[in-house]
Amino acid sequence: MPYERLKQARRKTIGTKQTAKAISRGLAKLVYIARDAEERVVADLVTQCEAMNVPVTYVDFMTDLGRACGIEVGAAACAVLEE
């Protein structure tokens, strides 16, 4: 299941802004991005991940990603900080 590391993570970010900060600070171990998120919202995250050598896992739907993070709404991106 693609969300296993996310569900087991002790620390994580939820949302593009928090995730971008974690990547730039070198804290992100793995980033999840929803395929149905608007390209303009997640394009910078993909670029940041490539620059910082952070692996990216794509998931199909924002609603599924939000649920995996334990929230009631969709999430365009999130990151595992500590496992």
Side-chain angles (χ1 to χ4, degrees), residues 32-78:
Y32 289 86
I33 296 177
R35 291 187 195 279
D36 65 339
E38 290 185 43
E39 179 64 27
R40 65 177 179 80
V41 174
V42 296
D44 287 342
L45 287 181
V46 175
T47 304
Q48 269 189 298
C49 286
E50 289 171 357
M52 299 291 284
N53 293 319
V54 177
V56 175
T57 298
Y58 289 93
V59 296
D60 291 328
F61 303 105
M62 291 174 57
T63 51
D64 293 343
L65 189 55
R67 255 187 253 123
C69 290
I71 61 173
E72 301 279 325
V73 296
C78 61

